[in-house]
Amino acid sequence: MLFKEFNKLSENEISEIVQRKMKGNNTIVYAFDGTRRSFLIENINLENENNQIETKINYDEYSKIAIQKLLYDLVMMCKHGIETVCYPMWFCTLEDRGPAYLPKFIKYLEGLSELLDNPTLFKMYTELGIKIIFYGEYKLLLERGNAPDLLLKFEKIMELTKNNKNHIVLLGTNIEQPSETFINNTISLYKENGNVKPTMNNLIQHYYGVNVDQVSFYLGFDRFSTDGRPILISDKGNEDLYYTISPHKFINQTTFRKVLFDKLFCRPNSKTNNNIINLENIEAINQFYLDNNDMVMGIGNVNPDGNYWYPDPQVKLPKY
């Protein structure tokens, strides 16, 4: 199947393919990112005599719209057959941004109130059967951010969606290093079980509140990193990695379908069977590697006009 054929399929048709091919491994990480950059692009203010552009974020306005795109993206992904989507909201490296960043991030999280305030959106989650679970140290983070009202909203969202059965959205908060979280949860569960060694499934159920498949792929943005990579369900380390060049504000159905097509049809067929490969194939593979022997995926540069990183084109394509 070619992508242009795949892209013509309906949501239901793609959903059936995804559920069949990703059975037992139908969890993805959507590291939703680039929201501040997108907001600045859409809300530029010209404020000085030299026609220089000064960009400032009004966090009250930003909080109303930034995370709404995520909520609709999650619906789109579930309609395409994804059973569990994990969004790492806060992870330990964000602590490096200092105390001034937390109040801004709390403002951003307030955008999740859209699920309670928008009946049309909430109806989508209900009809699709999407359960929302906040996991990790979100209570501690909101306590540090002096946001008791937001905690009540989080708890209400979980209460209202707890009986939904078809899909799960995991919204994560990790203040500790992942290794510390893993150690502490293992010790806690060991003691709760009367000093009985917990299984991996026990640990997953204890930490996330539900049984969750291992992560199949990670969808990030910008420089290649796996910030917020969820513990336990990324245990095997074999998830495929994808990164959009544009912020996730710009992601659409076609973008996501490109990722799904590669995951379902391209990468599974890329394992060379050395027992049946012929000489002509070997020569072609050798030529491709020689042509790209100094190319490295992930290498990029910084554009001084805007100071943003971008990936350099690397691959010299094979000849067919």
Side-chain angles (χ1 to χ4, degrees):
M1 180 182 288
L2 299 175
F3 174 71
K4 64 180 181 180
E5 298 168 346
F6 180 77
N7 198 33
K8 291 178 182 177
L9 298 177
S10 67
E11 289 175 341
N12 288 338
E13 289 171 323
I14 292 178
S15 177
E16 290 176 3
I17 295 171
V18 168
Q19 291 179 13
R20 184 177 71 252
K21 285 182 170 285
M22 291 176 59
K23 186 176 181 180
N25 199 30
N26 197 340
T27 297
I28 72 169
V29 175
Y30 183 30
F32 185 70
D33 199 4
T35 55
R36 289 179 298 163
R37 197 172 306 181
S38 302
F39 185 84
L40 289 174
I41 291 170
E42 295 173 352
N43 295 273
I44 290 174
N45 293 313
L46 297 174
E47 294 187 349
N48 61 42
E49 296 177 356
N50 298 323
N51 291 326
Q52 301 250 342
I53 296 176
E54 292 186 0
T55 53
K56 299 178 181 179
I57 291 182
N58 179 325
Y59 276 91
D60 289 330
E61 293 300 317
Y62 168 76
S63 66
K64 294 177 183 177
I65 64 172
I67 211 168
Q68 289 179 20
K69 176 63 165 56
L70 167 69
L71 297 174
Y72 285 98
D73 284 349
L74 295 172
V75 169
M76 181 265 291
M77 292 172 178
C78 290
K79 284 183 176 180
H80 280 73
I82 300 299
E83 290 183 1
T84 303
V85 184
C86 177
Y87 166 47
M89 301 188 303
W90 180 275
F91 36 89
C92 61
T93 53
L94 292 180
E95 297 285 324
D96 299 335
R97 299 188 180 184
Y101 181 67
L102 180 56
K104 297 174 182 178
F105 188 78
I106 295 295
K107 282 280 188 184
Y108 165 74
L109 291 182
E110 287 175 357
L112 290 171
S113 301
E114 182 76 2
L115 274 170
L116 301 175
D117 300 336
N118 185 333
T120 302
L121 179 62
F122 184 77
K123 183 180 179 182
M124 292 180 186
Y125 276 71
T126 302
E127 291 179 345
L128 282 170
I130 302 175
K131 175 187 290 187
I132 297 177
I133 297 174
F134 294 90
Y135 71 88
E137 302 155 282
Y138 66 94
K139 292 182 179 180
L140 177 58
L141 185 75
L142 296 181
E143 181 180 331
R144 283 172 46 189
N146 192 27
D149 291 342
L150 187 54
L151 175 58
L152 293 175
K153 290 180 180 180
F154 282 11
E155 291 173 343
K156 185 175 182 180
I157 289 171
M158 286 193 286
E159 177 65 24
L160 290 174
T161 63
K162 68 179 182 180
N163 294 322
N164 294 344
K165 306 289 186 184
N166 298 331
H167 307 273
I168 298 170
V169 169
L170 300 172
L171 303 176
T173 303
N174 296 105
I175 297 173
E176 298 177 318
Q177 296 283 345
S179 57
E180 285 294 316
T181 302
F182 179 81
I183 291 168
N184 292 337
N185 277 272
T186 302
I187 293 172
S188 172
L189 188 55
Y190 177 77
K191 291 178 178 179
E192 287 180 18
N193 289 344
N195 297 343
V196 175
K197 178 183 175 181
T199 66
M200 177 60 74
N201 285 339
N202 293 152
L203 290 168
I204 290 172
Q205 176 79 38
H206 181 256
Y207 185 61
Y208 293 102
V210 289
N211 286 319
V212 185
D213 289 346
Q214 288 289 309
V215 171
S216 179
F217 66 84
Y218 180 108
L219 179 56
F221 155 65
D222 204 37
R223 292 158 291 183
F224 296 6
S225 66
T226 53
D227 285 332
R229 188 168 174 263
I231 65 168
L232 301 170
I233 58 175
S234 299
D235 189 58
K236 294 181 179 179
N238 63 347
E239 65 269 30
D240 291 313
L241 305 178
Y242 298 93
Y243 296 88
T244 61
I245 295 173
S246 301
H248 289 147
K249 172 72 174 179
F250 297 94
I251 202 170
N252 56 35
Q253 177 175 279
T254 301
T255 315
F256 189 62
R257 288 185 171 198
K258 286 181 177 180
V259 173
L260 288 178
F261 182 79
D262 180 82
K263 171 66 183 176
L264 299 174
F265 295 102
C266 298
R267 300 203 186 195
N269 294 326
S270 65
K271 297 177 176 63
T272 302
N273 188 331
N274 294 319
N275 295 322
I276 62 173
I277 193 168
N278 60 42
L279 179 60
E280 185 178 353
N281 292 149
I282 293 174
E283 290 174 347
I285 292 170
N286 180 55
Q287 188 59 54
F288 174 71
Y289 290 150
L290 288 174
D291 289 344
N292 290 279
N293 69 331
D294 60 349
M295 305 299 186
V296 180
M297 290 185 289
I299 287 178
N301 218 318
V302 176
N303 189 331
D305 297 327
N307 200 39
Y308 61 90
W309 182 90
Y310 60 88
D312 281 336
Q314 290 290 316
V315 179
K316 294 178 182 177
L317 298 177
K319 298 177 181 178
Y320 294 100

